Amino acid sequence: MTVHLKSPQEIKKMRIAGELGSEVLDFITPFVKPGVTTGELDALCHDYMLNVQNTVPAPLNYQPPGYSPYPKSICTSVNHQVCHGVPGEKKLKSGDIINIDVTVIKDGYHGDTSRMYYVGEPTIQARRLCEITYESMWLGIEEIKPEKHLGDIGYAIQSFAESLGCSVVKEFCGHGIGTKFHEDPQVLHYGHTGTGLQLKPGMIFTVEPMINSGKASIRQMADGWTIVTKDHSLSAQWEHTVLVTETGYEVLTLSAGVPPKPKFRF
Ligand code: MF3
Ligand code: CO
Ligand code: CO
């Protein structure tokens, strides 16, 4: 495994890409309403990236080994969809929760971030899951500093989510990111403290836990992309792209509309 440490010039470009990714999520926020289709949200984001930002939507035609080319510019994962939901004709309805995952490329560098949105009024259970997932992502991020291990991040996320009766999806993970969309290291959202790769200043990777309200098992849909919970329980995900600094971390996917760090409950 080769983990590329980014130079100061590269970090500047990653900061710009990260902010632009987050700004797409800000832009789409007022459109996430009952009656809109996920396909319409995709088209709005696509046009914004191309025509306003001059960025490239990294998902469009993205094709990892064993996959068909991804057909859209963002991922929209609704309710029991875990990740990689493909935008389409389905209308959102009040009470739905949706993850919108955006990755832009600017000047050759990637910014990858996702948030949960409530469509109308969420149920108490849906709100609780989204909040637990947000807090779990931030507990993972708060572990990040030189000499800490990737397992510290995974442990913080898993122990918190499981203590509240939720489960962690194990098949997908955070990832190094830079000129490539997905690069080393893999950032598992479960694990044990003091294990795994040691963090070094200049590493950039995502933290993007997928947390289910029911069991952890997942299934892939016939479209070859959309992942759902096997038991159809709700699933939530949040994602930031993060730099390891000399003293800790810097979140790169920041913009005016990014939600504040949570009030930690324990
Ligand atoms: N943005 C996703 C991630 O966080 C990856 C989506 S791949 C796609 O890693 F092809 F589905 F867009
Ligand atoms: Co990612
Ligand atoms: Co993403």
Side-chain angles (χ1 to χ4, degrees), residues 59 62 70 75 84 101 103 112 175 181-182 208 225 239:
Y62 183 61
Y70 188 78
C75 299
H84 305 163
D101 192 338
T103 309
D112 188 5
H175 49 92
F181 194 167
H182 295 103
E208 50 177 303
W225 277 103
E239 174 175 24

Side-chain angles (χ1 to χ4, degrees), residues 16 35 42 46 80 107 125 137 139 142 149 153 155 158 166-167 197 206 218 220 243 246 254 260 265:
I16 291 167
D42 174 72
H46 177 91
H80 70 291
D107 203 6
Q125 302 92 300
M137 174 189 70
L139 286 167
E142 290 268 308
H149 295 255
I153 300 172
Y155 177 80
Q158 180 180 28
C166 299
S167 61
L197 185 73
T206 69
I218 58 162
Q220 188 178 71
L243 164 71
E246 296 290 337
L254 294 178
R265 57 189 88 191

Side-chain angles (χ1 to χ4, degrees), residues 39-258:
E40 288 163 352
L41 297 176
D42 174 72
L44 285 161
C45 289
H46 177 91
D47 289 347
Y48 187 79
M49 288 185 260
L50 264 73
N51 303 325
V52 178
Q53 293 188 327
N54 281 109
T55 57
V56 174
L60 190 58
N61 297 314
Y62 183 61
Q63 186 172 23
Y67 284 81
S68 54
Y70 188 78
K72 296 288 180 182
S73 295
I74 62 171
C75 299
T76 52
S77 304
V78 181
N79 294 337
H80 70 291
Q81 295 179 348
V82 173
C83 64
H84 305 163
V86 179
E89 302 295 277
K90 214 171 138 115
K91 280 187 163 66
L92 297 179
K93 57 180 194 315
S94 185
D96 285 346
I97 56 171
I98 178 175
N99 173 276
I100 301 181
D101 192 338
V102 163
T103 309
V104 302
I105 309 171
K106 183 71 167 184
D107 203 6
Y109 287 81
H110 291 71
D112 188 5
T113 183
S114 81
R115 299 180 196 157
M116 295 302 299
Y117 298 81
Y118 304 134
V119 183
E121 264 311 297
T123 64
I124 289 165
Q125 302 92 300
R127 183 188 292 275
R128 177 176 183 269
L129 176 67
C130 293
E131 289 178 357
I132 288 169
T133 306
Y134 189 60
E135 192 166 338
S136 80
M137 174 189 70
W138 267 106
L139 286 167
I141 291 172
E142 290 268 308
E143 291 296 315
I144 297 174
K145 71 174 183 187
E147 311 312 319
K148 288 270 210 164
H149 295 255
L150 284 178
D152 298 326
I153 300 172
Y155 177 80
I157 292 167
Q158 180 180 28
S159 57
F160 174 72
E162 291 182 353
S163 76
L164 292 166
C166 299
S167 61
V168 176
V169 173
K170 312 289 192 309
E171 289 85 348
F172 297 92
C173 56
H175 49 92
I177 181 167
T179 55
K180 290 203 287 180
F181 194 167
H182 295 103
E183 57 185 49
D184 285 337
Q186 294 197 52
V187 181
L188 305 182
H189 303 116
Y190 58 94
H192 299 282
T193 54
T195 67
L197 185 73
Q198 227 175 10
L199 306 183
K200 298 276 174 250
M203 287 181 179
I204 297 182
F205 51 79
T206 69
V207 179
E208 50 177 303
M210 285 140 276
I211 306 294
N212 299 345
S213 60
K215 296 205 166 74
S217 310
I218 58 162
R219 199 158 62 74
Q220 188 178 71
M221 302 291 284
D223 64 16
W225 277 103
T226 307
I227 303 296
V228 298
T229 56
K230 229 181 220 172
D231 63 7
H232 275 222
S233 64
L234 287 178
S235 187
Q237 179 178 30
W238 292 81
E239 174 175 24
H240 271 314
T241 299
V242 185
L243 164 71
V244 184
T245 65
E246 296 290 337
T247 54
Y249 65 83
E250 177 185 338
V251 175
L252 300 178
T253 34
L254 294 178
S255 62
V258 79

